Amino acid sequence: MASEDIAQITEALAKTHVGEVELSYKGRGLKLDNAESVKEMVKEIEQCQGLQSLRLEGNTLGVEAAQAISKALEAKSELEQCHWSDMFTGRLRSEIPPALKSLGNALMTSGARLTHLDLSDNAFGPDGVKGIESLLKSPVCYTLRELRLNNCGMGIGGGMVLASALTECYKQSSAAGSPLKLKVFIAGRNRLENNGATALAKAFKVLGSLEEVHMPQNGINHPGITALAAAMKHNPNLQVLNLNDNTFTKRGSIAMAEGIRHLRCLKVINFGDCLVRSEGAIAIAGALREGLPFLRELNLSFGEICEAAALVVAKAVQGKADLEKLDLNGNCFGEDGCEALREAMESMNMEELLGSLSDDEGEPDEDDGEPDENDDDAEEEEEEEEGKEEGDTEENGVNGTKEIIEEKKEPHCSSEFTSFLISPSAEKLISFGAKRIQLIEQVDVSDASKVSEVFLKTSSVYEDEPEVKQAVFETTDALLRKAFSSSHSQSSSLIFSLIVNLGLLKSQDKKIKKVSVLPGHLLALEHAAAQEFFPADQAGILEAFVSRNGKVLESCSSARDALKTTLVKRTTA
């Protein structure tokens, strides 16, 4: 073939666009202040036929330059992707909204239909969100699939404006016959806090199409986490959920466990550095056992999780064929706990999937049960007690158990049963006769800590005498049967309360108190655990704590061993 023919073919190929038509000025560090500075860029944009993707990231754009580029974009109806992150470095915040408005107006004029919009790493704050508000509501974004707004400093106000715009876009696009189907939402490091997160959660609930949600480092506490958890239920195709470095604590963790429980498509969960704590880890483990069949990665690092709770999590990932990594680094296992976790993973042939434990915090100190500034339960108690007169807890004097139910705050029981709970005795329990079951049915089982208290009060009168034994077992069985018939989260909360009450785990929930453990407590639990109404997964959780921390039950070693044997049978049946 002649050299001139080869040259002609090469030239023809150079003019042929294969796949996406893109113009990229990515990372050039250009300082674009005015129309003159973008003259060549504007020319290239105007001459690019069928432009689908424009990359401006890594430059710095002034208002006049943005207006010049916008003029060129008014004719680009085929534009689908705007990669415009990190393009206002060194600009005054007041310059950014008008620049964004110019670009947005150009897109609306052109009739473009975007699929990707990336404005990450532009510190435009709430005003910047207002700069793209009209764009987000317009037909340009009816087709949006990915919205990336990472590290923009939106704040609470910006989050609310964004949520409103997305909701309006969904409503308008639905009315036009083509509902918005946003798949990827990224908004980490934006100081959204609870109100911003809650507003966005409402938008997510409306959308129902999300596949990836990334909202790390946003100062979100349990109210915002709870709202997001509720929204996730309405996004059945969710595959990636990254809420790293927010603050779940117990209530947020339990709500999130409920939120993700039935998300069959979920593959990546990043709740690292979220203070999920042991009860939260147990609740999430419950979600793992019930669903999430395609889980690939689970990050619960730096969450103040104890060894026994980590073992519950480890058992819950057994059978997850797609699992690639379990990250439990930076928790509170201690050397023996780390080794026990490695052995547990090895026994399931999953040792290679366990991430490093090099940053383990060691076993918690004695004072780790005290609430701190991140303890939502302590904050809740302060709110509830404001303006109220606090009652004092006192020694019960019956079999050495502590009085942990205040006389004026009995768990919705009749006066007869209330009297028994204030001063438990075998004689009183027997005197109720067949009415015991009727009385126990009046207990409100929605409060796990109260149910645990009633259980421990009742079982504290246990005696190795047939009539007393029968009365105790009938009453405690009836109580737990009713409690375990409620939601899975309620069941998990009850087991956790019992674990803390029995001293198997320190809690930062001030409402849950440790009692002086008696054989009757453990024998009543053992009897209930042998019954069909006692959930096998909850038996597994209890068994993990009794096995790992059973030394605190040494004073009741015989009853402890009987309980452990029954729990093992239930979990291996």
Side-chain angles (χ1 to χ4, degrees), residues 124-240:
F124 48 53
D127 290 340
V129 183
K130 293 176 182 177
I132 59 171
E133 183 179 8
S134 296
L135 173 64
L136 291 173
K137 292 179 179 179
S138 75
V140 175
C141 290
Y142 288 1
T143 50
L144 199 61
R145 296 295 178 264
E146 295 190 12
L147 178 59
R148 299 170 182 263
L149 296 168
N150 201 58
N151 191 31
C152 290
M154 288 189 288
I156 295 171
M160 289 180 167
V161 172
L162 176 60
S164 177
L166 289 174
T167 302
E168 184 64 23
C169 183
Y170 179 83
K171 290 178 180 178
Q172 295 292 341
S173 61
S174 296
S178 181
L180 172 65
K181 295 180 180 179
L182 188 67
K183 293 183 177 181
V184 177
F185 179 84
I186 300 177
R189 300 183 66 188
N190 271 291
R191 305 193 305 276
L192 294 171
E193 301 183 14
N194 291 329
N195 290 341
T198 299
L200 284 166
K202 292 177 181 177
F204 296 164
K205 187 175 180 180
V206 170
L207 292 174
S209 57
L210 292 168
E211 295 180 6
E212 293 188 27
V213 174
H214 302 261
M215 297 173 67
Q217 291 184 297
N218 269 297
I220 308 171
N221 298 325
H222 73 85
I225 296 299
T226 299
L228 289 170
M232 294 307 113
K233 293 181 182 179
H234 297 271
N235 289 269
N237 295 319
L238 191 69
Q239 296 181 28
V240 179

Side-chain angles (χ1 to χ4, degrees), residues 261 269 283-292 295 298 313 316-317 320:
R261 188 177 303 279
I269 297 173
I284 292 167
L288 295 175
R289 281 190 300 271
E290 289 191 17
L292 284 62
L295 187 68
L298 174 62
V313 173
V317 300
K320 303 294 181 187

Side-chain angles (χ1 to χ4, degrees), residues 4-20:
E4 57 266 28
D5 294 332
I6 296 175
Q8 289 175 355
I9 293 173
T10 302
E11 184 179 357
L13 287 173
K15 293 179 179 180
T16 301
H17 296 293
V18 180
E20 181 181 273

Side-chain angles (χ1 to χ4, degrees), residues 328-373:
L328 291 168
N329 197 18
N331 284 297
C332 308
F333 307 153
E335 290 185 15
D336 291 343
C338 289
E339 187 58 32
L341 183 58
R342 293 188 188 98
E343 289 175 358
M345 294 294 287
E346 186 176 0
S347 70
M348 299 183 292
N349 295 318
M350 302 176 77
E351 65 273 17
E352 294 181 359
L353 308 183
L354 181 64
S356 170
L357 299 175
S358 60
D359 294 318
D360 184 72
E361 296 287 341
E363 294 184 70
D365 297 327
E366 287 299 315
D367 61 353
D368 280 356
E370 292 300 315
D372 57 27
E373 66 273 13

Side-chain angles (χ1 to χ4, degrees), residues 90-134:
R91 299 292 170 180
L92 296 174
R93 180 167 288 190
S94 60
E95 294 182 81
I96 302 176
L100 290 173
K101 284 182 180 179
S102 293
L103 293 166
N105 289 338
L107 295 175
M108 288 187 276
T109 300
S110 73
R113 293 294 184 268
L114 294 184
T115 59
H116 294 66
L117 177 59
D118 186 358
L119 290 168
S120 298
D121 300 315
N122 291 310
F124 48 53
D127 290 340
V129 183
K130 293 176 182 177
I132 59 171
E133 183 179 8
S134 296

Side-chain angles (χ1 to χ4, degrees), residues 462-499:
Y462 174 91
E463 295 175 8
D464 194 16
E465 192 276 320
E467 188 176 15
V468 177
K469 185 188 296 186
Q470 181 180 354
V472 169
F473 288 168
E474 282 181 357
T475 308
T476 52
D477 280 1
L479 176 65
L480 295 186
R481 183 182 291 108
K482 181 182 179 183
F484 284 134
S485 67
S486 56
S487 70
H488 186 278
S489 62
Q490 288 284 359
S491 298
S492 294
S493 293
L494 172 55
I495 287 296
F496 185 83
S497 291
L498 286 168
I499 287 169

Side-chain angles (χ1 to χ4, degrees), residues 244-390:
N244 188 284
D245 200 10
N246 289 292
T247 307
F248 283 34
T249 59
K250 183 185 74 174
R251 282 187 288 171
S253 300
I254 291 174
M256 187 56 70
E258 283 297 301
I260 66 175
R261 188 177 303 279
H262 302 297
L263 297 179
R264 291 187 56 82
C265 298
L266 196 55
K267 297 178 181 179
V268 178
I269 297 173
N270 186 345
F271 297 158
D273 204 14
C274 283
L275 208 64
V276 299
R277 293 190 174 137
S278 296
E279 184 175 9
I282 290 170
I284 292 167
L288 295 175
R289 281 190 300 271
E290 289 191 17
L292 284 62
F294 305 112
L295 187 68
R296 246 186 7 234
E297 295 181 21
L298 174 62
N299 184 348
L300 295 178
S301 60
F302 299 94
E304 293 190 3
I305 300 169
C306 74
E307 171 199 348
L311 290 172
V312 172
V313 173
K315 290 179 182 178
V317 300
Q318 187 174 16
K320 303 294 181 187
D322 294 337
L323 191 70
E324 296 175 2
K325 185 175 182 181
L326 173 62
D327 190 349
L328 291 168
N329 197 18
N331 284 297
C332 308
F333 307 153
E335 290 185 15
D336 291 343
C338 289
E339 187 58 32
L341 183 58
R342 293 188 188 98
E343 289 175 358
M345 294 294 287
E346 186 176 0
S347 70
M348 299 183 292
N349 295 318
M350 302 176 77
E351 65 273 17
E352 294 181 359
L353 308 183
L354 181 64
S356 170
L357 299 175
S358 60
D359 294 318
D360 184 72
E361 296 287 341
E363 294 184 70
D365 297 327
E366 287 299 315
D367 61 353
D368 280 356
E370 292 300 315
D372 57 27
E373 66 273 13
N374 292 316
D375 191 347
D376 56 14
D377 299 297
E379 293 166 6
E380 178 188 34
E381 184 172 276
E382 289 173 6
E383 292 168 6
E384 290 175 350
E385 292 302 322
E386 186 176 357
K388 296 181 181 179
E389 191 173 329
E390 289 191 278

